[in-house]
Tab-separated table of all heavy atoms in Angstrom:
chain	number	residue	atom	x	y	z
A	980	MET	N	0.956	-1.165	0.003
A	980	MET	CA	0.017	-0.062	0.006
A	980	MET	C	0.903	1.155	0.013
A	980	MET	O	1.869	1.291	0.839
A	980	MET	CB	-0.913	-0.144	1.407
A	980	MET	CG	-1.671	1.189	1.601
A	980	MET	SD	-2.707	0.969	3.126
A	980	MET	CE	-3.834	-0.386	2.694
A	981	SER	N	0.634	2.213	-0.890
A	981	SER	CA	1.386	3.454	-0.873
A	981	SER	C	1.038	4.303	0.345
A	981	SER	O	0.012	4.099	1.002
A	981	SER	CB	1.090	4.210	-2.192
A	981	SER	OG	-0.234	4.745	-2.117
A	982	LEU	N	1.857	5.343	0.548
A	982	LEU	CA	1.577	6.226	1.643
A	982	LEU	C	0.336	6.860	1.400
A	982	LEU	O	-0.355	7.221	2.365
A	982	LEU	CB	2.717	7.164	1.759
A	982	LEU	CG	3.991	6.609	2.404
A	982	LEU	CD1	5.070	7.663	2.495
A	982	LEU	CD2	3.683	6.035	3.852
A	983	THR	N	0.033	7.260	0.214
A	983	THR	CA	-1.276	7.973	-0.117
A	983	THR	C	-2.508	7.003	0.100
A	983	THR	O	-3.454	7.481	0.791
A	983	THR	CB	-1.281	8.388	-1.568
A	983	THR	OG1	-0.297	9.372	-1.841
A	983	THR	CG2	-2.544	9.032	-1.928
A	984	GLU	N	-2.269	5.922	-0.095
A	984	GLU	CA	-3.470	4.857	0.004
A	984	GLU	C	-3.478	4.637	1.644
A	984	GLU	O	-4.683	4.521	2.056
A	984	GLU	CB	-3.173	3.530	-0.707
A	984	GLU	CG	-3.269	3.521	-2.162
A	984	GLU	CD	-2.647	2.319	-2.682
A	984	GLU	OE1	-1.746	1.581	-2.259
A	984	GLU	OE2	-3.265	2.054	-3.851
A	985	LEU	N	-2.435	4.580	2.381
A	985	LEU	CA	-2.561	4.377	3.656
A	985	LEU	C	-3.122	5.637	4.375
A	985	LEU	O	-4.051	5.482	5.312
A	985	LEU	CB	-0.998	4.306	4.372
A	985	LEU	CG	-0.967	4.061	5.800
A	985	LEU	CD1	-1.846	2.859	6.323
A	985	LEU	CD2	0.382	3.952	6.321
A	986	ALA	N	-2.797	6.881	3.923
A	986	ALA	CA	-3.478	7.973	4.582
A	986	ALA	C	-4.870	7.995	4.233
A	986	ALA	O	-5.767	8.340	5.064
A	986	ALA	CB	-2.774	9.284	3.989
A	987	ASP	N	-5.234	7.690	3.046
A	987	ASP	CA	-6.770	7.640	2.619
A	987	ASP	C	-7.467	6.637	3.472
A	987	ASP	O	-8.522	6.812	3.892
A	987	ASP	CB	-6.919	7.250	1.211
A	987	ASP	CG	-6.422	8.421	0.231
A	987	ASP	OD1	-6.346	9.605	0.824
A	987	ASP	OD2	-6.308	8.132	-0.931
A	988	HIS	N	-6.776	5.560	3.655
A	988	HIS	CA	-7.436	4.350	4.481
A	988	HIS	C	-7.655	4.879	5.994
A	988	HIS	O	-8.757	4.720	6.531
A	988	HIS	CB	-6.506	3.107	4.564
A	988	HIS	CG	-6.904	2.135	5.610
A	988	HIS	ND1	-8.017	1.193	5.383
A	988	HIS	CD2	-6.610	1.935	6.736
A	988	HIS	CE1	-8.177	0.469	6.346
A	988	HIS	NE2	-7.163	0.729	7.349
A	989	ILE	N	-6.584	5.502	6.591
A	989	ILE	CA	-6.678	6.046	8.016
A	989	ILE	C	-7.877	7.036	8.115
A	989	ILE	O	-8.728	6.969	8.966
A	989	ILE	CB	-5.348	6.717	8.437
A	989	ILE	CG1	-4.327	5.561	8.638
A	989	ILE	CG2	-5.531	7.355	9.569
A	989	ILE	CD1	-2.874	6.013	8.763
A	990	GLU	N	-7.942	7.980	7.033
A	990	GLU	CA	-8.921	9.109	7.146
A	990	GLU	C	-10.404	8.240	6.922
A	990	GLU	O	-11.262	8.598	7.596
A	990	GLU	CB	-8.699	10.060	5.999
A	990	GLU	CG	-9.731	11.206	6.094
A	990	GLU	CD	-9.387	12.365	5.249
A	990	GLU	OE1	-8.202	12.353	4.678
A	990	GLU	OE2	-10.232	13.209	5.008
A	991	ARG	N	-10.447	7.509	5.933
A	991	ARG	CA	-11.783	6.849	5.674
A	991	ARG	C	-12.236	6.028	6.878
A	991	ARG	O	-13.473	6.009	7.095
A	991	ARG	CB	-11.671	6.011	4.400
A	991	ARG	CG	-13.094	5.629	3.769
A	991	ARG	CD	-12.854	4.858	2.442
A	991	ARG	NE	-12.157	3.569	2.671
A	991	ARG	CZ	-10.942	3.345	2.214
A	991	ARG	NH1	-10.182	4.341	1.632
A	991	ARG	NH2	-10.373	2.241	2.498
A	992	ILE	N	-11.429	5.182	7.331
A	992	ILE	CA	-11.920	4.211	8.523
A	992	ILE	C	-11.762	4.871	9.828
A	992	ILE	O	-12.847	4.988	10.590
A	992	ILE	CB	-11.026	2.886	8.378
A	992	ILE	CG1	-11.139	2.304	7.040
A	992	ILE	CG2	-11.515	1.953	9.443
A	992	ILE	CD1	-12.458	1.915	6.548
A	993	HIS	N	-10.665	5.298	10.185
A	993	HIS	CA	-10.376	5.573	11.610
A	993	HIS	C	-10.939	7.055	11.947
A	993	HIS	O	-11.539	7.302	12.970
A	993	HIS	CB	-8.958	5.394	12.050
A	993	HIS	CG	-8.506	4.034	11.792
A	993	HIS	ND1	-8.841	3.074	12.607
A	993	HIS	CD2	-7.617	3.537	10.805
A	993	HIS	CE1	-8.382	1.866	12.177
A	993	HIS	NE2	-7.521	2.173	11.136
A	994	HIS	N	-10.713	7.923	11.055
A	994	HIS	CA	-11.169	9.373	11.387
A	994	HIS	C	-12.724	9.343	11.161
A	994	HIS	O	-13.247	10.034	12.110
A	994	HIS	CB	-10.531	10.399	10.284
A	994	HIS	CG	-9.099	10.567	10.535
A	994	HIS	ND1	-8.429	11.774	10.082
A	994	HIS	CD2	-8.142	9.924	11.213
A	994	HIS	CE1	-7.229	11.725	10.498
A	994	HIS	NE2	-7.037	10.727	11.164
A	995	THR	N	-13.267	8.670	10.247
A	995	THR	CA	-14.695	8.671	10.225
A	995	THR	C	-15.363	8.115	11.411
A	995	THR	O	-16.348	8.555	11.931
A	995	THR	CB	-15.169	7.862	8.949
A	995	THR	OG1	-14.647	8.449	7.806
A	995	THR	CG2	-16.712	7.672	8.854
A	996	TYR	N	-14.685	6.932	12.004
A	996	TYR	CA	-15.218	6.356	13.285
A	996	TYR	C	-15.173	7.432	14.322
A	996	TYR	O	-16.155	7.573	15.070
A	996	TYR	CB	-14.278	5.221	13.541
A	996	TYR	CG	-14.678	4.573	14.944
A	996	TYR	CD1	-15.658	3.784	15.166
A	996	TYR	CD2	-13.886	4.833	16.058
A	996	TYR	CE1	-16.041	3.143	16.253
A	996	TYR	CE2	-14.185	4.316	17.305
A	996	TYR	CZ	-15.220	3.417	17.255
A	996	TYR	OH	-15.515	2.975	18.673
A	997	LEU	N	-14.017	8.108	14.496
A	997	LEU	CA	-13.981	9.065	15.563
A	997	LEU	C	-14.874	10.182	15.253
A	997	LEU	O	-15.532	10.702	16.335
A	997	LEU	CB	-12.602	9.619	15.612
A	997	LEU	CG	-11.559	8.663	16.162
A	997	LEU	CD1	-10.069	9.140	16.009
A	997	LEU	CD2	-11.849	8.293	17.614
A	998	HIS	N	-15.099	10.773	14.089
A	998	HIS	CA	-16.034	11.855	13.739
A	998	HIS	C	-17.506	11.436	14.177
A	998	HIS	O	-18.295	12.286	14.460
A	998	HIS	CB	-16.001	12.218	12.418
A	998	HIS	CG	-14.718	12.979	12.005
A	998	HIS	ND1	-14.417	14.313	12.619
A	998	HIS	CD2	-13.720	12.831	11.081
A	998	HIS	CE1	-13.260	14.673	12.165
A	998	HIS	NE2	-12.763	13.847	11.199
A	999	THR	N	-17.726	10.137	14.076
A	999	THR	CA	-19.066	9.640	14.422
A	999	THR	C	-19.302	9.467	15.923
A	999	THR	O	-20.359	9.832	16.445
A	999	THR	CB	-19.292	8.327	13.642
A	999	THR	OG1	-19.202	8.522	12.200
A	999	THR	CG2	-20.770	7.686	14.037
A	1000	GLU	N	-18.279	8.808	16.494
A	1000	GLU	CA	-18.368	8.235	17.937
A	1000	GLU	C	-18.176	9.275	18.917
A	1000	GLU	O	-18.813	9.342	19.998
A	1000	GLU	CB	-17.532	7.122	18.263
A	1000	GLU	CG	-18.004	5.878	17.336
A	1000	GLU	CD	-19.337	5.428	17.543
A	1000	GLU	OE1	-19.861	5.512	18.778
A	1000	GLU	OE2	-20.051	4.872	16.633
A	1001	LEU	N	-17.179	10.210	18.635
A	1001	LEU	CA	-16.832	11.194	19.666
A	1001	LEU	C	-18.116	12.105	20.110
A	1001	LEU	O	-18.309	12.393	21.269
A	1001	LEU	CB	-15.707	12.140	19.291
A	1001	LEU	CG	-14.323	11.375	19.250
A	1001	LEU	CD1	-13.192	12.228	18.725
A	1001	LEU	CD2	-13.946	10.867	20.705
A	1002	PRO	N	-18.806	12.660	19.125
A	1002	PRO	CA	-19.995	13.421	19.530
A	1002	PRO	C	-21.021	12.608	20.332
A	1002	PRO	O	-21.580	13.227	21.310
A	1002	PRO	CB	-20.638	13.916	18.228
A	1002	PRO	CG	-19.458	13.868	17.251
A	1002	PRO	CD	-18.608	12.666	17.679
A	1003	CYS	N	-21.191	11.461	19.942
A	1003	CYS	CA	-22.111	10.546	20.721
A	1003	CYS	C	-21.654	10.303	22.192
A	1003	CYS	O	-22.415	10.374	23.126
A	1003	CYS	CB	-22.339	9.225	20.083
A	1003	CYS	SG	-22.982	9.283	18.481
A	1004	LEU	N	-20.367	10.037	22.187
A	1004	LEU	CA	-19.811	9.786	23.619
A	1004	LEU	C	-19.815	11.095	24.410
A	1004	LEU	O	-19.957	11.066	25.693
A	1004	LEU	CB	-18.380	9.301	23.529
A	1004	LEU	CG	-18.271	7.871	22.868
A	1004	LEU	CD1	-16.860	7.475	22.551
A	1004	LEU	CD2	-18.833	6.778	23.925
A	1005	GLU	N	-19.656	12.161	23.757
A	1005	GLU	CA	-19.671	13.504	24.540
A	1005	GLU	C	-21.060	13.743	25.126
A	1005	GLU	O	-21.168	14.056	26.257
A	1005	GLU	CB	-19.294	14.725	23.571
A	1005	GLU	CG	-17.844	14.767	23.335
A	1005	GLU	CD	-17.705	16.003	22.272
A	1005	GLU	OE1	-18.502	16.796	22.157
A	1005	GLU	OE2	-16.389	16.010	21.786
A	1006	LYS	N	-22.106	13.430	24.345
A	1006	LYS	CA	-23.420	13.558	24.807
A	1006	LYS	C	-23.740	12.723	25.980
A	1006	LYS	O	-24.242	13.008	27.068
A	1006	LYS	CB	-24.455	13.255	23.719
A	1006	LYS	CG	-24.624	14.335	22.661
A	1006	LYS	CD	-25.626	13.985	21.551
A	1006	LYS	CE	-25.576	15.018	20.616
A	1006	LYS	NZ	-26.350	14.474	19.251
A	1007	MET	N	-23.263	11.247	25.910
A	1007	MET	CA	-23.410	10.367	26.935
A	1007	MET	C	-22.755	10.770	28.306
A	1007	MET	O	-23.406	10.705	29.278
A	1007	MET	CB	-23.072	8.976	26.443
A	1007	MET	CG	-24.058	8.409	25.562
A	1007	MET	SD	-23.674	6.633	25.303
A	1007	MET	CE	-22.570	6.739	23.898
A	1008	VAL	N	-21.588	11.090	28.184
A	1008	VAL	CA	-20.768	11.414	29.224
A	1008	VAL	C	-21.200	12.684	30.134
A	1008	VAL	O	-21.273	12.819	31.218
A	1008	VAL	CB	-19.165	11.536	29.013
A	1008	VAL	CG1	-18.924	12.880	28.390
A	1008	VAL	CG2	-18.417	11.343	30.210
A	1009	THR	N	-21.766	13.673	29.154
A	1009	THR	CA	-22.405	14.827	29.753
A	1009	THR	C	-23.650	14.519	30.446
A	1009	THR	O	-23.892	15.038	31.615
A	1009	THR	CB	-22.560	15.855	28.617
A	1009	THR	OG1	-21.258	16.199	28.013
A	1009	THR	CG2	-23.157	17.180	29.095
A	1010	LYS	N	-24.478	13.647	29.817
A	1010	LYS	CA	-25.759	13.248	30.390
A	1010	LYS	C	-25.524	12.561	31.737
A	1010	LYS	O	-26.269	12.840	32.668
A	1010	LYS	CB	-26.514	12.431	29.465
A	1010	LYS	CG	-27.863	12.086	29.815
A	1010	LYS	CD	-28.667	11.287	28.620
A	1010	LYS	CE	-29.959	10.949	29.060
A	1010	LYS	NZ	-30.767	10.228	27.957
A	1011	VAL	N	-24.718	11.566	31.781
A	1011	VAL	CA	-24.385	10.890	33.026
A	1011	VAL	C	-23.828	11.709	34.050
A	1011	VAL	O	-24.244	11.628	35.276
A	1011	VAL	CB	-23.362	9.628	32.688
A	1011	VAL	CG1	-22.963	9.032	34.046
A	1011	VAL	CG2	-24.033	8.621	31.840
A	1012	ALA	N	-22.992	12.675	33.748
A	1012	ALA	CA	-22.358	13.610	34.761
A	1012	ALA	C	-23.432	14.569	35.329
A	1012	ALA	O	-23.551	14.761	36.493
A	1012	ALA	CB	-21.303	14.385	34.166
A	1013	ALA	N	-24.364	14.851	34.374
A	1013	ALA	CA	-25.516	15.844	34.741
A	1013	ALA	C	-26.471	15.138	35.824
A	1013	ALA	O	-26.982	15.646	36.767
A	1013	ALA	CB	-26.122	16.449	33.688
A	1014	ALA	N	-26.646	13.798	35.569
A	1014	ALA	CA	-27.659	13.106	36.259
A	1014	ALA	C	-27.085	12.477	37.567
A	1014	ALA	O	-27.788	12.483	38.594
A	1014	ALA	CB	-28.266	11.872	35.360
A	1015	HIS	N	-25.779	12.126	37.556
A	1015	HIS	CA	-25.237	11.481	38.778
A	1015	HIS	C	-24.017	12.198	39.368
A	1015	HIS	O	-23.473	11.693	40.378
A	1015	HIS	CB	-24.887	9.983	38.425
A	1015	HIS	CG	-26.087	9.271	37.805
A	1015	HIS	ND1	-27.140	8.768	38.554
A	1015	HIS	CD2	-26.417	8.888	36.635
A	1015	HIS	CE1	-28.034	8.151	37.926
A	1015	HIS	NE2	-27.673	8.322	36.609
A	1016	GLY	N	-23.580	13.323	38.789
A	1016	GLY	CA	-22.329	13.844	39.177
A	1016	GLY	C	-22.299	14.462	40.519
A	1016	GLY	O	-21.344	14.643	41.224
A	1017	GLU	N	-23.538	14.811	40.875
A	1017	GLU	CA	-23.659	15.473	42.477
A	1017	GLU	C	-23.355	14.279	43.513
A	1017	GLU	O	-22.637	14.683	44.327
A	1017	GLU	CB	-24.949	16.020	42.522
A	1017	GLU	CG	-24.926	17.051	43.597
A	1017	GLU	CD	-26.272	17.934	43.533
A	1017	GLU	OE1	-26.518	18.656	42.514
A	1017	GLU	OE2	-27.046	17.841	44.478
A	1018	LYS	N	-23.868	13.105	43.196
A	1018	LYS	CA	-23.644	12.029	44.173
A	1018	LYS	C	-22.331	11.516	43.891
A	1018	LYS	O	-21.620	10.812	44.882
A	1018	LYS	CB	-24.600	10.986	44.004
A	1018	LYS	CG	-25.966	11.376	44.534
A	1018	LYS	CD	-26.917	10.065	44.571
A	1018	LYS	CE	-28.246	10.441	45.147
A	1018	LYS	NZ	-29.243	9.311	44.976
A	1019	GLU	N	-21.742	11.471	42.752
A	1019	GLU	CA	-20.437	10.888	42.484
A	1019	GLU	C	-19.628	11.852	41.610
A	1019	GLU	O	-19.543	11.826	40.442
A	1019	GLU	CB	-20.749	9.606	41.524
A	1019	GLU	CG	-19.341	8.780	41.164
A	1019	GLU	CD	-18.440	8.609	42.336
A	1019	GLU	OE1	-18.858	7.645	43.210
A	1019	GLU	OE2	-17.572	9.336	42.527
A	1020	PRO	N	-18.841	12.725	42.303
A	1020	PRO	CA	-18.016	13.745	41.677
A	1020	PRO	C	-17.022	13.299	40.665
A	1020	PRO	O	-16.604	14.047	39.836
A	1020	PRO	CB	-17.341	14.466	42.850
A	1020	PRO	CG	-18.197	14.211	44.141
A	1020	PRO	CD	-18.687	12.743	43.830
A	1021	ARG	N	-16.577	11.985	40.810
A	1021	ARG	CA	-15.623	11.483	39.774
A	1021	ARG	C	-16.285	11.495	38.432
A	1021	ARG	O	-15.530	11.612	37.425
A	1021	ARG	CB	-15.187	10.107	40.173
A	1021	ARG	CG	-14.210	10.097	41.345
A	1021	ARG	CD	-13.787	8.662	41.793
A	1021	ARG	NE	-15.070	7.970	42.314
A	1021	ARG	CZ	-15.006	6.731	42.753
A	1021	ARG	NH1	-13.851	6.022	42.800
A	1021	ARG	NH2	-16.108	6.071	43.091
A	1022	LEU	N	-17.500	11.434	38.275
A	1022	LEU	CA	-18.165	11.468	37.033
A	1022	LEU	C	-18.017	12.805	36.333
A	1022	LEU	O	-17.824	12.936	35.060
A	1022	LEU	CB	-19.652	11.175	36.982
A	1022	LEU	CG	-20.049	9.717	37.466
A	1022	LEU	CD1	-21.473	9.574	37.833
A	1022	LEU	CD2	-19.522	8.680	36.430
A	1023	MET	N	-17.898	13.877	37.121
A	1023	MET	CA	-17.661	15.295	36.679
A	1023	MET	C	-16.175	15.246	36.087
A	1023	MET	O	-15.908	15.878	34.958
A	1023	MET	CB	-17.962	16.330	37.648
A	1023	MET	CG	-19.268	16.273	38.249
A	1023	MET	SD	-20.545	16.569	37.060
A	1023	MET	CE	-20.401	18.266	36.956
A	1024	ARG	N	-15.364	14.697	36.718
A	1024	ARG	CA	-13.908	14.707	36.293
A	1024	ARG	C	-13.753	13.862	35.121
A	1024	ARG	O	-13.030	14.312	34.209
A	1024	ARG	CB	-13.117	14.032	37.485
A	1024	ARG	CG	-11.652	14.038	37.233
A	1024	ARG	CD	-10.915	15.237	37.635
A	1024	ARG	NE	-9.433	15.072	37.409
A	1024	ARG	CZ	-8.799	15.737	36.518
A	1024	ARG	NH1	-9.265	16.525	35.702
A	1024	ARG	NH2	-7.433	15.401	36.348
A	1025	ILE	N	-14.440	12.784	35.069
A	1025	ILE	CA	-14.333	11.906	33.800
A	1025	ILE	C	-14.940	12.700	32.602
A	1025	ILE	O	-14.347	12.662	31.554
A	1025	ILE	CB	-15.250	10.684	33.979
A	1025	ILE	CG1	-14.478	9.661	34.982
A	1025	ILE	CG2	-15.575	9.949	32.706
A	1025	ILE	CD1	-15.281	8.387	35.425
A	1026	LYS	N	-16.032	13.348	32.781
A	1026	LYS	CA	-16.585	14.190	31.779
A	1026	LYS	C	-15.551	15.253	31.273
A	1026	LYS	O	-15.377	15.481	30.054
A	1026	LYS	CB	-17.818	14.953	32.178
A	1026	LYS	CG	-18.543	15.816	31.172
A	1026	LYS	CD	-19.504	16.797	31.688
A	1026	LYS	CE	-18.786	17.827	32.423
A	1026	LYS	NZ	-19.528	19.064	32.737
A	1027	ASP	N	-14.922	15.919	32.208
A	1027	ASP	CA	-14.021	16.980	31.934
A	1027	ASP	C	-12.760	16.482	31.047
A	1027	ASP	O	-12.325	17.009	30.087
A	1027	ASP	CB	-13.528	17.824	33.177
A	1027	ASP	CG	-14.519	18.625	33.850
A	1027	ASP	OD1	-15.631	18.831	33.204
A	1027	ASP	OD2	-14.382	18.969	34.961
A	1028	ILE	N	-12.273	15.260	31.595
A	1028	ILE	CA	-11.135	14.685	30.857
A	1028	ILE	C	-11.656	14.272	29.603
A	1028	ILE	O	-10.754	14.445	28.604
A	1028	ILE	CB	-10.566	13.505	31.783
A	1028	ILE	CG1	-10.002	14.104	33.017
A	1028	ILE	CG2	-9.587	12.670	31.068
A	1028	ILE	CD1	-9.685	12.900	34.036
A	1029	PHE	N	-12.773	13.619	29.437
A	1029	PHE	CA	-13.194	13.172	28.161
A	1029	PHE	C	-13.351	14.244	27.072
A	1029	PHE	O	-12.895	14.170	25.938
A	1029	PHE	CB	-14.479	12.247	28.243
A	1029	PHE	CG	-14.795	11.815	26.852
A	1029	PHE	CD1	-14.172	10.648	26.395
A	1029	PHE	CD2	-15.715	12.438	26.034
A	1029	PHE	CE1	-14.393	10.177	25.135
A	1029	PHE	CE2	-16.099	11.909	24.797
A	1029	PHE	CZ	-15.339	10.705	24.265
A	1030	LEU	N	-14.008	15.325	27.634
A	1030	LEU	CA	-14.223	16.536	26.692
A	1030	LEU	C	-12.918	17.123	26.233
A	1030	LEU	O	-12.779	17.570	25.156
A	1030	LEU	CB	-15.142	17.468	27.386
A	1030	LEU	CG	-16.505	17.040	27.606
A	1030	LEU	CD1	-17.471	18.173	28.342
A	1030	LEU	CD2	-17.224	16.659	26.312
A	1031	ALA	N	-11.990	17.145	27.095
A	1031	ALA	CA	-10.475	17.680	26.773
A	1031	ALA	C	-9.945	16.783	25.644
A	1031	ALA	O	-9.370	17.217	24.749
A	1031	ALA	CB	-9.723	17.841	28.058
A	1032	LEU	N	-9.962	15.445	25.958
A	1032	LEU	CA	-9.477	14.474	25.012
A	1032	LEU	C	-10.250	14.545	23.679
A	1032	LEU	O	-9.451	14.620	22.677
A	1032	LEU	CB	-9.747	13.035	25.552
A	1032	LEU	CG	-9.391	11.916	24.614
A	1032	LEU	CD1	-7.883	11.888	24.255
A	1032	LEU	CD2	-9.941	10.592	25.066
A	1033	SER	N	-11.455	14.698	23.680
A	1033	SER	CA	-12.185	14.757	22.473
A	1033	SER	C	-11.847	16.005	21.656
A	1033	SER	O	-11.736	16.050	20.427
A	1033	SER	CB	-13.684	14.817	22.738
A	1033	SER	OG	-14.432	14.759	21.587
A	1034	ALA	N	-11.742	17.151	22.352
A	1034	ALA	CA	-11.151	18.438	21.686
A	1034	ALA	C	-9.862	18.344	21.065
A	1034	ALA	O	-9.567	18.816	19.902
A	1034	ALA	CB	-11.386	19.501	22.630
A	1035	GLU	N	-8.938	17.696	21.800
A	1035	GLU	CA	-7.533	17.537	21.339
A	1035	GLU	C	-7.648	16.601	20.112
A	1035	GLU	O	-6.900	16.821	19.051
A	1035	GLU	CB	-6.734	16.890	22.464
A	1035	GLU	CG	-5.249	16.944	22.146
A	1035	GLU	CD	-4.458	16.520	23.414
A	1035	GLU	OE1	-4.820	17.128	24.485
A	1035	GLU	OE2	-3.474	15.883	23.192
A	1036	LEU	N	-8.398	15.536	20.157
A	1036	LEU	CA	-8.397	14.549	19.037
A	1036	LEU	C	-9.114	15.238	17.761
A	1036	LEU	O	-8.624	15.128	16.724
A	1036	LEU	CB	-9.281	13.387	19.358
A	1036	LEU	CG	-8.619	12.237	20.055
A	1036	LEU	CD1	-9.578	11.204	20.519
A	1036	LEU	CD2	-7.623	11.559	19.024
A	1037	ALA	N	-10.118	16.130	18.028
A	1037	ALA	CA	-10.741	16.836	16.824
A	1037	ALA	C	-9.587	17.724	16.169
A	1037	ALA	O	-9.568	17.905	14.948
A	1037	ALA	CB	-11.851	17.693	17.360
A	1038	THR	N	-8.724	18.405	16.952
A	1038	THR	CA	-7.771	19.255	16.416
A	1038	THR	C	-6.786	18.326	15.717
A	1038	THR	O	-6.318	18.724	14.503
A	1038	THR	CB	-6.970	19.948	17.553
A	1038	THR	OG1	-7.996	20.940	18.229
A	1038	THR	CG2	-5.972	20.954	16.954
A	1039	HIS	N	-6.385	17.329	16.259
A	1039	HIS	CA	-5.449	16.393	15.724
A	1039	HIS	C	-5.955	15.879	14.287
A	1039	HIS	O	-5.264	15.835	13.313
A	1039	HIS	CB	-5.163	15.224	16.642
A	1039	HIS	CG	-4.343	14.120	16.110
A	1039	HIS	ND1	-2.933	14.191	16.218
A	1039	HIS	CD2	-4.504	13.033	15.527
A	1039	HIS	CE1	-2.351	13.094	15.734
A	1039	HIS	NE2	-3.266	12.407	15.231
A	1040	LEU	N	-7.188	15.455	14.284
A	1040	LEU	CA	-7.721	14.908	13.049
A	1040	LEU	C	-7.776	15.946	11.968
A	1040	LEU	O	-7.449	15.759	10.841
A	1040	LEU	CB	-9.240	14.443	13.368
A	1040	LEU	CG	-9.324	13.188	14.277
A	1040	LEU	CD1	-10.662	12.942	14.513
A	1040	LEU	CD2	-8.489	12.037	13.820
A	1041	MET	N	-8.104	17.175	12.403
A	1041	MET	CA	-8.328	18.243	11.422
A	1041	MET	C	-6.908	18.636	10.789
A	1041	MET	O	-6.769	18.804	9.636
A	1041	MET	CB	-8.898	19.539	12.118
A	1041	MET	CG	-9.085	20.689	11.099
A	1041	MET	SD	-9.783	22.169	11.986
A	1041	MET	CE	-8.369	22.578	13.073
A	1042	LYS	N	-5.888	18.600	11.711
A	1042	LYS	CA	-4.578	18.973	11.111
A	1042	LYS	C	-4.028	17.782	10.203
A	1042	LYS	O	-3.434	18.200	9.197
A	1042	LYS	CB	-3.539	18.960	12.345
A	1042	LYS	CG	-3.554	20.236	13.107
A	1042	LYS	CD	-2.435	20.204	14.214
A	1042	LYS	CE	-2.560	21.426	15.115
A	1042	LYS	NZ	-1.695	21.309	16.378
A	1043	GLU	N	-4.313	16.543	10.526
A	1043	GLU	CA	-3.927	15.431	9.681
A	1043	GLU	C	-4.605	15.542	8.320
A	1043	GLU	O	-4.102	15.337	7.282
A	1043	GLU	CB	-4.267	14.093	10.241
A	1043	GLU	CG	-3.086	13.762	11.369
A	1043	GLU	CD	-3.346	12.380	11.936
A	1043	GLU	OE1	-4.411	11.835	11.674
A	1043	GLU	OE2	-2.468	11.926	12.582
A	1044	GLU	N	-5.962	15.871	8.393
A	1044	GLU	CA	-6.715	15.823	7.103
A	1044	GLU	C	-6.341	17.039	6.236
A	1044	GLU	O	-6.398	16.960	5.085
A	1044	GLU	CB	-8.194	15.856	7.567
A	1044	GLU	CG	-8.657	14.608	8.038
A	1044	GLU	CD	-9.939	14.505	8.906
A	1044	GLU	OE1	-10.694	15.502	8.703
A	1044	GLU	OE2	-10.280	13.606	9.650
A	1045	GLN	N	-6.026	18.208	6.919
A	1045	GLN	CA	-5.669	19.357	6.077
A	1045	GLN	C	-4.292	19.512	5.775
A	1045	GLN	O	-3.924	20.029	4.687
A	1045	GLN	CB	-6.275	20.592	6.820
A	1045	GLN	CG	-7.719	20.548	6.986
A	1045	GLN	CD	-8.356	21.798	7.533
A	1045	GLN	OE1	-7.557	22.634	8.010
A	1045	GLN	NE2	-9.624	21.866	7.681
A	1046	ILE	N	-3.345	18.947	6.567
A	1046	ILE	CA	-1.906	19.237	6.395
A	1046	ILE	C	-1.296	18.061	5.574
A	1046	ILE	O	-0.567	18.073	4.687
A	1046	ILE	CB	-1.209	19.593	7.626
A	1046	ILE	CG1	-1.745	20.872	8.179
A	1046	ILE	CG2	0.263	19.632	7.402
A	1046	ILE	CD1	-1.231	21.271	9.568
A	1047	LEU	N	-1.677	16.925	6.186
A	1047	LEU	CA	-1.164	15.715	5.549
A	1047	LEU	C	-1.923	15.259	4.387
A	1047	LEU	O	-1.514	14.634	3.518
A	1047	LEU	CB	-1.006	14.505	6.554
A	1047	LEU	CG	-0.233	14.808	7.744
A	1047	LEU	CD1	-0.295	13.665	8.777
A	1047	LEU	CD2	1.217	15.054	7.374
B	1521	FE2	FE1	-3.079	10.660	13.959
């Protein structure tokens, strides 16, 4: 597989997966934290960490898709 084919494969399979799943997971982690975060503060921390990870991944994917 050439580098171009590999880059296309990564974008088509792995980036598409993340573009689909990250927004769903953000909604779920936010919903769980809102519903149960008062009784279990670690859920708020998990939400914050996940949202930071998701934002970082979004930037990473965008850079790869636009620069590489
Ligand atoms: Fe990457």
Side-chain angles (χ1 to χ4, degrees):
M980 169 182 299
S981 71
L982 285 178
T983 299
E984 289 169 333
L985 178 59
D987 288 344
H988 170 81
I989 289 169
E990 186 174 347
R991 190 177 66 252
I992 303 300
H993 301 289
H994 286 204
T995 296
Y996 175 80
L997 290 171
H998 285 304
T999 301
E1000 294 303 324
L1001 288 174
C1003 297
L1004 292 169
E1005 286 180 15
K1006 283 181 192 164
M1007 285 192 271
V1008 76
T1009 299
K1010 187 176 181 179
V1011 169
H1015 305 286
E1017 206 165 293
K1018 283 186 180 174
E1019 181 48 80
R1021 289 178 293 184
L1022 293 172
M1023 304 299 280
R1024 180 88 176 111
I1025 289 169
K1026 180 195 74 169
D1027 292 342
I1028 291 169
F1029 183 82
L1030 293 179
L1032 169 71
S1033 185
E1035 194 170 316
L1036 273 171
T1038 302
H1039 176 85
L1040 296 176
M1041 186 183 64
K1042 282 182 186 171
E1043 283 188 346
E1044 290 163 12
Q1045 293 183 359
I1046 296 169
L1047 299 179

